[in-house]
Structures are given as C-alpha cells and as structure tokens.
C-alpha cells in the first residue's frame, strides 16, 4: 500500500529554479521513511511549425554543453504567466516568431521524486515578432527542419538534451510516422 505523508514537506534547499524538500511518510505496517523530493519551476517547450510543416529549432550556447546545440524554444513559466503566455513569450524571445494558433499538445507528468510541470505547445500560423530575450540567452541560429530530419538529429545527438530529443522523436512517430510520412 502507498505510504501516507506525515505533515508538510520541509524545505532543505531553495534556489532560483530548484528546491529540495524532505517528506516524512508512514507505511501501513507502521514503519516510517523520509523521501527527498526535488521540485523544479514549471516550464514550456514549443513545437513551432511553418506553413510547410517544418519544425523550428534554435541553436543555443548553453552552460555545461561543450558546443552549441539545437533546442525547441523553451523556458520557465514566471509567477505572473499562464503556460500559454509563457510559450508565446519564449517563441518570440528565442526565435523571433509569434503564433497565431497556439494549442496545448501535452503536459508532462512528473516522476515520484522529481516534481516538474512541463507544458508542450504546438504553434502554427507563425508571423515575425520578437521580444528582447533573457540576459545570458545566446541564440546563434533559428532554422526550420522537416520532422524526419529533426527526429534524426535527435537520434544522432545533434539535439543533445535527451528530454527534448525524446519528445521530438515521440512527436515524429505519433504524428508523422504512423501516417506514413
């Protein structure tokens, strides 16, 4: 049987993006344990498509990557934003486009120890529109790729973030490969 929480989680670390909390629990047999839970600020990722159905990727210089790598436009949801507003903002800041059609594709479920809400949006009917990006964001290139190429880039490691690579491959197989593309 599932353990029952005892009281509220106790914060052990509070950072800008992550916090670590301990949660005491009690099992049905009376035994107790403490779980360490990692909470991450909610974020968005945007699958933006041009009129030819090609996926927009941004090439960025990110801390802890040895070389620039491809990403989906993405970012943290600020306290005063809805997920949809954050998706639109990140698309404008990182890629220079605004979506006239922005729909929620999926919300990622968190794991048992890593609590993180991630919203994936599909952006279509794009038009040029930019906002000033966050300090330190270094977008080098913005390009559109057909989905098969994007999936191959994910498989070959050109999209180095494995979380994003997984969702690009998954989207390709769900939306394109099953339809014979």
């Amino acid at each position: 049987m599932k353990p029952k929480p005892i009281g509220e989680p106790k914060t052990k670390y509070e950072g800008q993006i992550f916090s670590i909390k301990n949660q005491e629990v009690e099992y049905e047999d009376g035994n107790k344990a403490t779980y360490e839970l990692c909470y991450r600020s909610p974020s968005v990722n945007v699958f933006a498509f041009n009129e030819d159905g090609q996926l927009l990727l941004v090439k960025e210089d990110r801390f802890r990557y040895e070389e620039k790598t491809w990403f989906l436009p993405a970012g943290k949801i600020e306290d005063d934003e809805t997920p949809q507003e954050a998706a639109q903002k990140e698309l404008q800041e990182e890629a220079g486009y605004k979506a006239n059609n922005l729909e929620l594709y999926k919300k990622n479920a968190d794991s048992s120890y890593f609590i993180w809400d991630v919203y994936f949006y599909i952006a279509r009917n794009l038009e040029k529109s930019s906002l000033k990006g966050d300090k330190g964001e270094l977008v080098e290139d913005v390009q559109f790729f057909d989905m098969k190429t994007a999936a191959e880039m994910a498989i070959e490691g050109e999209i180095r973030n494995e979380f994003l690579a997984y969702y690009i491959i998954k989207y390709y197989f769900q939306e394109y490969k099953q339809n014979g593309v």
Side-chain angles (χ1 to χ4, degrees):
M1 177 158 260
K2 184 174 154 178
K4 292 184 180 175
I6 302 170
E8 294 297 316
K10 293 178 178 67
T11 300
K12 297 299 179 181
Y13 170 78
E14 190 76 41
Q16 292 179 2
I17 296 177
F18 294 98
S19 65
I20 307 292
K21 298 180 181 187
N22 285 354
Q23 176 66 63
E24 272 195 271
V25 298
E26 184 174 0
Y27 292 93
E28 198 172 83
D29 64 4
N31 285 321
K32 295 180 181 178
T34 300
Y35 286 91
E36 291 181 340
L37 306 173
C38 180
Y39 292 83
R40 189 192 190 287
S41 300
S43 62
V44 294
N45 289 276
V46 183
F47 284 90
F49 295 96
N50 65 13
E51 61 279 352
D52 296 325
Q54 296 174 309
L55 178 66
L56 182 145
L57 295 174
V58 295
K59 194 170 201 176
E60 295 185 53
D61 195 2
R62 291 265 185 109
F63 176 69
R64 298 206 27 93
Y65 285 106
E66 294 174 11
E67 54 194 43
K68 295 171 179 77
T69 188
W70 294 101
F71 288 89
L72 294 171
K76 176 182 169 187
I77 301 171
E78 300 298 335
D79 291 337
D80 63 342
E81 291 178 315
T82 66
Q84 187 169 14
E85 290 168 340
Q88 191 74 266
K89 178 191 74 177
E90 294 299 335
L91 181 59
Q92 290 177 305
E93 286 180 354
E94 294 184 9
Y97 286 94
K98 178 182 176 185
N100 289 308
N101 183 332
L102 189 64
E103 295 177 17
L104 181 64
Y105 167 58
K106 79 178 291 359
K107 180 183 174 200
N108 188 49
D110 39 69
S111 69
S112 53
Y113 299 106
F114 191 69
I115 293 66
W116 181 23
D117 290 335
V118 183
Y119 299 83
F120 289 87
Y121 280 87
I122 303 295
R124 298 189 193 281
N125 300 322
L126 305 178
E127 64 181 64
K128 287 279 193 184
S129 173
S130 64
L131 292 173
K132 185 176 180 186
D134 295 329
K135 201 167 35 170
E137 264 186 344
L138 303 172
V139 175
E140 179 184 277
D141 197 5
V142 176
Q143 286 187 40
F144 288 94
F145 297 90
D146 64 75
M147 274 307 299
K148 182 177 181 185
T149 300
E152 289 169 351
M153 291 168 69
I155 291 167
E156 297 298 322
E158 289 181 67
I159 299 169
R160 302 229 3 247
N161 180 299
E162 291 181 0
F163 178 76
L164 295 181
Y166 166 78
Y167 279 99
I168 289 169
I169 294 165
K170 182 177 180 176
Y171 186 85
Y172 170 68
F173 276 92
Q174 286 179 334
E175 303 297 322
Y176 287 81
K177 193 71 171 168
Q178 288 182 357
N179 296 323
V181 178

